[in-house]
């Protein structure tokens, strides 16, 4: 029987993130919700960068995170069938997904998003966040927050997280 206390209830993946402030803010969201942050290299910054620490404030020391070298390595550590891919090219809104404990929310880089070779592996698991056509995309950290809190809400989130 799986011990839910020792496993993260949610995994957040940043695929090739470029901006340290976004990664820092995504990390802060993960700490707030008790999710694990994964980052897939190459990164556009170093983990010990003052920018990532500034965005994550003093919460970074509480963050459960792991950096992997590439997409195949990530897929060897997390179940691909539990992955949800966030992309502006998806037709399905994020609120139509049925999130489950242990799911993996995957976000692409700020400049190019997720590559087609990743998105094409599971078109039914591609999700979009609603926005007006005048906006190309949402900020990466904002997207992580919206998606993670929707998963939290669906899984019976309360006002207090322990």
């Amino acid at each position: 029987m799986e011990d839910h206390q020792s496993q993260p209830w949610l995994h957040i993946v940043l695929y090739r993130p470029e901006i340290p402030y976004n990664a820092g803010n995504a990390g802060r969201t993960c700490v707030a919700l008790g999710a694990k942050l994964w980052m897939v290299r190459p990164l556009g910054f170093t983990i010990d960068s003052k920018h990532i620490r500034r965005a994550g404030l003093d919460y970074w020391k509480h963050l459960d995170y792991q950096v992997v070298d590439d997409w195949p390595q990530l897929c060897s550590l997390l179940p691909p069938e539990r992955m949800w891919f966030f992309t502006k090219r998806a037709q399905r809104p994020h609120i139509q997904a049925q999130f489950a404990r242990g799911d993996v929310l995957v976000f692409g880089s700020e400049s190019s998003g997720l590559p087609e070779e990743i998105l094409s592996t599971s078109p039914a698991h591609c999700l979009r966040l609603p926005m007006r056509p005048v906006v190309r995309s949402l900020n990466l950290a904002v997207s992580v927050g919206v998606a993670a809190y929707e998963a939290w809400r669906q899984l019976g989130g309360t006002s207090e997280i322990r």
Side-chain angles (χ1 to χ4, degrees), residues 29-59:
T29 297
C30 288
V31 171
L33 289 174
K36 181 170 182 176
L37 178 65
W38 297 77
M39 291 179 277
V40 180
R41 285 188 178 102
L43 309 180
F45 49 86
T46 59
I47 294 297
D48 60 351
S49 161
K50 70 177 182 180
H51 301 294
I52 199 166
R53 286 193 319 270
R54 184 176 298 144
L57 295 174
D58 56 344
Y59 304 114

Side-chain angles (χ1 to χ4, degrees), residues 12 17 25 40-41 45 55 60 62 66 73 77 90 94 100 103 108 122 125 139-140 145 152-153:
I12 302 292
N25 282 307
V40 180
R41 285 188 178 102
F45 49 86
W60 199 255
H62 303 290
Q66 189 167 342
Q73 183 184 14
L77 297 169
H94 74 294
D103 275 358
S122 186
H125 275 220
N139 172 277
L140 176 59
W152 175 77
R153 185 196 66 78

Side-chain angles (χ1 to χ4, degrees), residues 27-105:
R28 189 190 314 190
T29 297
C30 288
V31 171
L33 289 174
K36 181 170 182 176
L37 178 65
W38 297 77
M39 291 179 277
V40 180
R41 285 188 178 102
L43 309 180
F45 49 86
T46 59
I47 294 297
D48 60 351
S49 161
K50 70 177 182 180
H51 301 294
I52 199 166
R53 286 193 319 270
R54 184 176 298 144
L57 295 174
D58 56 344
Y59 304 114
W60 199 255
K61 64 186 173 200
H62 303 290
L63 177 62
D64 180 8
Y65 76 94
Q66 189 167 342
V67 179
V68 296
D69 288 330
D70 54 32
W71 184 253
Q73 183 184 14
L74 180 80
C75 290
S76 74
L77 297 169
L78 293 174
E81 68 275 5
R82 301 293 301 278
M83 293 183 180
W84 295 96
F85 306 102
F86 286 81
T87 173
K88 66 181 181 179
R89 298 186 302 267
Q91 295 301 308
R92 185 177 181 191
H94 74 294
I95 59 171
Q96 289 181 1
Q98 293 183 348
F99 297 114
R101 184 179 191 86
D103 275 358
V104 181
L105 310 184

